[in-house]
């Protein structure tokens, strides 16, 4: 199956969302290239970037599940390759 490289940008505004978020990322860990999280205490949010290499439908599923969590905002950008 053909895969694409994408970056999933995540803003977490409610810290209680972390457990669900981490569970979903663990579920799809086989597709994750790398992950970086930055807590931004001044605004009381966390900023997470997740690089993935996965089929388009898997990337959409991950983004959709993450975006459905209360207090979490998600945007995904895809490479052209």
């Amino acid at each position: 199956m053909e895969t694409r490289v994408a970056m999933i940008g995540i803003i977490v505004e409610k810290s209680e969302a972390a457990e669900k978020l981490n569970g979903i990322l663990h579920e799809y860990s086989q597709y994750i290239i790398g992950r970086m999280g930055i807590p931004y205490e001044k605004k009381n949010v966390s900023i997470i970037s997740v690089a993935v290499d996965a089929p388009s439908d898997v990337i959409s599923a991950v983004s959709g599940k993450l975006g459905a969590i209360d207090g979490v905002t998600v945007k995904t950008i895809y490479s052209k390759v």
Side-chain angles (χ1 to χ4, degrees):
M1 182 173 268
E2 189 174 327
T3 63
R4 293 184 70 185
V5 174
M7 179 67 67
I8 303 172
I10 306 164
I11 304 289
V12 182
E13 297 173 343
K14 295 183 179 180
S15 60
E16 57 270 15
E19 188 174 338
K20 270 187 175 178
L21 184 144
N22 285 320
I24 293 167
L25 292 178
H26 179 73
E27 180 183 345
Y28 291 94
S29 61
Q30 69 192 62
Y31 301 106
I32 296 175
I33 300 167
R35 166 182 173 176
M36 179 179 63
I38 305 168
Y40 187 43
E41 295 174 7
K42 182 178 177 182
K43 296 285 186 174
N44 199 31
V45 299
S46 292
I47 304 157
I48 303 168
S49 61
V50 182
V52 297
D53 183 2
S56 294
D57 59 333
V58 171
I59 297 169
S60 294
V62 174
S63 297
K65 288 180 180 183
L66 292 171
I69 301 171
D70 184 42
V72 174
T73 303
V74 177
K75 294 292 180 187
T76 303
I77 55 172
Y78 293 84
S79 70
K80 294 181 182 181
V81 293

